[in-house]
Amino acid sequence: MVTIKPFGKLADGTEVDLIAIQNSSGSTLEVTNYGACVTSIKLKMADGSIRDVVLGYDTPAEYEADKDTYFGATIGRIANRINACDDTGKPGFILNGKTYYLADTSGNGASLHGGVIGFDQKVFDYTTGDDYVEFKYTSPDGEENYPGNLTLTVRMTFGGDNALKIEYDAVSDKDTICNPTNHCYFNLAGHDSGINLKHKVCIDSDQINELLQNIVTGKISDVAGTAYDFNEPHEIGERIEDSHYQLVDSKGYDCNYILKPNPTKEIRQVAWAESPTGDVRLNVLTDAEGIQLYTGNFLDGRKGKGGAIYNFRNAVCLETQILPNAINMPHFPTSSVIKAGEHFNSTTIYAFDVK
Ligand code: BGC
């Protein structure tokens, strides 16, 4: 059952909505058309209580004021960081012989999550069905200096099985690049429960992208024998203080796992996370080839929903995507280029198992 109510106003007076999808299990997904953003996932627990497992805010004004967490938002056109494509050191890319420079949002030669005003800050049009909402945003040619009028459609379905299915479709009138993701911060013990480090995580991957100061170098590292190996489940906190230079640089986990080859683009389970007591498990299924594990290392005591305080490492993000900076890394398996008129499609499912 879908219900729609006003969420509030943005700074320019635009009204945005809060759309709730209640499923037959008594759980509710709430989303807003500001940033096609997941504001809550309220799970009905075995004892009948309700547990909201994603971080967020109570008003659109708070989402608008926050320029760096991307709580729950749809990220576009390009998730993650794009580096320099030439010796200017400016982030950008070369497509069909033309260079497109992007905003240096990190201050160290990288453009993060779509630029200064990414899709997380756009108002999407939407339609709804019995158990879904479908968002649509057309990014004009040249927005954030990306070529082509690009239309991104994001359908979020929340069925009785407590699975949030996110389907992306993108098409442009000129060749361009696109790599959308969703940026939910999960805390399976409850968004306001604080410590996240006792969550167990498992990721079906043997390799990560090597980083230098959070920027993909293009080299691939094996996880075997390192604190990055989650092939067997580990608590997030177990090895987070390890001396691996990437963990030190990123103040925790913030890196992209290369998932097992998937030539037929099957939607397969690639990761899971479990609350400290094991009463909520999140299974992540996707057809994407990469997943970013980010442990909220830049959270800094922000005030969120209902006055909850979100501190350092209080959440885990599992962001599915094409490998970061793929446009500048021709040896990566999948390119983020979409040709004029061709559709990019990808699906990710966040399936919750409540015990
Ligand atoms: C990135 C982090 C970044 C965070 C929030 C994540 O996807 O990997 O480096 O700080 O988003 O901005």
Side-chain angles (χ1 to χ4, degrees), residues 68-70 81 112-113 183 185 254 292 294 298 319:
D68 58 5
T69 69
Y70 304 85
R81 292 174 173 82
L112 178 68
H113 293 335
H183 212 303
Y185 284 64
D254 189 0
Q292 184 85 4
Y294 172 58
F298 296 108
E319 308 154 47

Side-chain angles (χ1 to χ4, degrees), residues 67-71 75 79-81 112-113 181-183 185 214 250 253-256 292-294 296-298 317 319 321:
K67 305 289 187 216
D68 58 5
T69 69
Y70 304 85
F71 283 156
I75 306 296
N80 222 311
R81 292 174 173 82
L112 178 68
H113 293 335
T181 192
N182 175 273
H183 212 303
Y185 284 64
N214 275 326
S250 307
Y253 292 100
D254 189 0
C255 85
N256 204 267
Q292 184 85 4
L293 171 66
Y294 172 58
N297 315 321
F298 296 108
C317 303
E319 308 154 47
Q321 55 201 259

Side-chain angles (χ1 to χ4, degrees), residues 2-249:
V2 175
T3 49
I4 300 170
K5 60 179 187 189
F7 190 30
K9 281 187 185 157
L10 300 172
D12 68 359
T14 307
E15 305 252 8
V16 293
D17 294 338
L18 191 67
I19 304 128
I21 306 177
Q22 190 177 37
N23 69 15
S24 53
S25 309
S27 300
T28 307
L29 167 76
E30 285 181 307
V31 294
T32 173
N33 56 325
Y34 180 62
C37 171
V38 174
T39 61
S40 75
I41 299 176
K42 293 174 178 159
L43 298 175
K44 175 97 170 263
M45 302 298 293
D47 65 2
S49 62
I50 298 293
R51 184 183 297 174
D52 183 356
V53 294
V54 296
L55 278 56
Y57 295 114
D58 290 320
T59 63
E62 290 164 288
Y63 280 100
E64 199 176 12
D66 177 348
K67 305 289 187 216
D68 58 5
T69 69
Y70 304 85
F71 283 156
T74 294
I75 306 296
R77 295 186 188 192
I78 291 279
N80 222 311
R81 292 174 173 82
I82 291 202
N83 319 344
C85 60
D86 60 21
D87 53 17
T88 63
K90 293 184 200 162
F93 60 96
I94 300 166
L95 184 62
N96 299 333
K98 189 168 171 203
T99 304
Y100 298 88
Y101 291 115
L102 302 170
D104 182 346
T105 54
S106 304
N108 65 347
S111 195
L112 178 68
H113 293 335
V116 180
I117 305 182
F119 291 6
D120 56 292
Q121 295 174 64
K122 299 293 179 186
V123 177
F124 284 63
D125 293 330
Y126 70 92
T127 54
T128 59
D130 281 351
D131 61 353
Y132 72 84
V133 51
E134 187 171 288
F135 295 109
K136 192 174 277 205
Y137 172 66
T138 297
S139 169
D141 188 9
E143 186 175 71
E144 291 291 332
N145 214 26
Y146 289 102
N149 294 295
L150 173 107
T151 298
L152 178 70
T153 307
V154 185
R155 181 184 279 220
M156 296 185 182
T157 307
F158 191 58
D161 53 356
N162 284 339
L164 165 60
K165 183 179 189 186
I166 307 179
E167 293 165 284
Y168 301 95
D169 175 282
V171 63
S172 167
D173 59 359
K174 285 186 190 161
D175 293 1
T176 190
I177 59 174
C178 186
N179 182 14
T181 192
N182 175 273
H183 212 303
C184 269
Y185 284 64
F186 299 103
N187 189 321
L188 302 176
H191 77 103
D192 51 357
S193 67
I195 201 82
N196 167 51
L197 299 177
K198 292 223 163 286
H199 280 66
K200 280 200 187 82
V201 166
C202 192
I203 303 176
D204 189 13
S205 164
D206 296 327
Q207 295 179 312
I208 53 170
N209 274 297
E210 186 191 86
L211 300 175
L212 257 188
Q213 294 184 331
N214 275 326
I215 294 180
V216 167
T217 64
K219 289 201 190 120
I220 306 290
S221 317
D222 292 334
V223 295
T226 77
Y228 284 92
D229 190 347
F230 280 95
N231 279 296
E232 293 297 323
H234 288 274
E235 285 184 6
I236 293 174
E238 190 185 320
R239 301 164 299 173
I240 204 167
E241 301 293 356
D242 186 271
S243 59
H244 191 296
Y245 79 93
Q246 284 190 210
L247 277 168
V248 175
D249 268 9

